[in-house]
Amino acid sequence: MSAEDLIPQLTSQTVAGASRGDQLLERYQASLTGVFGTPQAVLVRGSGARVWDADGNEYLDLLGGIAVNALGHAHPLISSVLASQQSTLGHISNLFTSPTQIACAEMLLRLAQAPARSSVFFANSGSEANEAALKAVLKHRQEASKSRILALEGAFHGRTVGALSLTHKPAYREPFGELIEGVEFLPFNDLAALEHRFDDDVAGIVLEPIQGEAGVQPLDADYLLRARELADQHDALMVLDEVQTGIGRTGTWFRHQAVPGLTPDLMTLAKGLGSGFPVGALISFGEKASTLMGAGQHGTTFGGNPAATAAALATLHVIESEGLLEHADGLGAQIAEKLRALPQVTQVRQYGLHLGVDLALPSSASARDLVTLAREQHALIINATGDGTLRLAPPLNLTQEEADEAVTRLSAALTSLTSSSS
């Protein structure tokens, strides 16, 4: 049997009575758990910043798998290294290691400018990376007889139990009752509250340099630096969740590098790291952070396997060799300038190719309506984080022409929504 026989057909195939996409969605709803609601479409292939659905419709993708596809869809090098690695050596467990795992860890430490005796733990996702960081904080809390962990209102760190304990949104937390005790949420960017509530009983503080789920909201540099000072002063760990902001998304390798003098104790990564292949990482800065957990105190079956680390290594290589940090910074600024000129746009927060766009819409419409309309009528895939805010996270190798086309399509979608709602 060939691969083509096993993988569902990738071409458009209309069946009498319903489109192929609608038929597949019916099968989805009959066979998959409903935690994601109803999918917007059935996608069958992609190339760069474009994807095609089961009925052959082409879309321009500014969502990028929620900031995951750093190099777009089906990047030739990522596809090549995955095929090569998988045909050479696939999963081996963490009873063994591989050259790609070692090389990827070394490259991450170099890019993070991590000091001597720093280390990398590979996971499969951002939630898993945050679970590892939280366990390090819990270990420190236990050993130092502390009880409190600080996080921020508006934070999103994942949906596993530990990561959910650090996630603020009540709708995500409340259905599950008590989570990890001792987590306290501070108001976002409130320096006075940070200073008032940080004391010797705090074991760690977990921060996103930019809150993506909250609408691409950045922490002030002063806030981040003061948090670093207070963590040092009170023997607490500073954890930076760079799952979304890392790997060049904001025009620097990691967002905290835009704040001179700021180094975390622990930093979590995922999303863009494998450019679509599932891989996450926890970087521990320095010997103290790297030795918080010893042999047997944490682990993962799949984390750091040869294919995952090959994809990550290739992603890092392409971003570095093709100058995509500078490209993201420059192109993101151009997109932001054009968006600010649209009459329905009230504010744009732009950090590389990580953009939050606030909208002034008719009272009967929302940004979520715009997402649907943009996809259905203008073949544009975007994402809303609230009733009036979009989050854009296109591939870091988005071209100038694609960026211009995206703004044109978004402008047309905004006009359509405004006209139909007024």
Side-chain angles (χ1 to χ4, degrees), residues 23-39:
Q23 291 195 1
L24 285 167
L25 284 175
E26 284 185 16
R27 290 167 56 189
Y28 175 98
Q29 290 175 312
S31 59
L32 280 96
T33 304
V35 294
F36 299 111
T38 303

Side-chain angles (χ1 to χ4, degrees), residues 388-403:
T389 301
L390 299 178
R391 171 178 49 181
L392 307 181
L396 302 182
N397 53 1
L398 188 77
T399 67
Q400 179 72 64
E401 293 73 21
E402 290 166 338

Side-chain angles (χ1 to χ4, degrees), residues 155-194:
F156 181 86
H157 298 288
R159 298 174 190 263
T160 52
V161 171
L164 187 59
S165 300
L166 301 167
T167 293
H168 179 253
K169 193 172 183 177
Y172 296 158
R173 299 167 53 88
E174 288 177 352
F176 305 99
E178 291 293 328
L179 299 172
I180 292 178
E181 294 182 352
V183 176
E184 300 175 20
F185 293 98
L186 306 181
F188 183 75
N189 243 347
D190 187 332
L191 200 53
L194 174 71

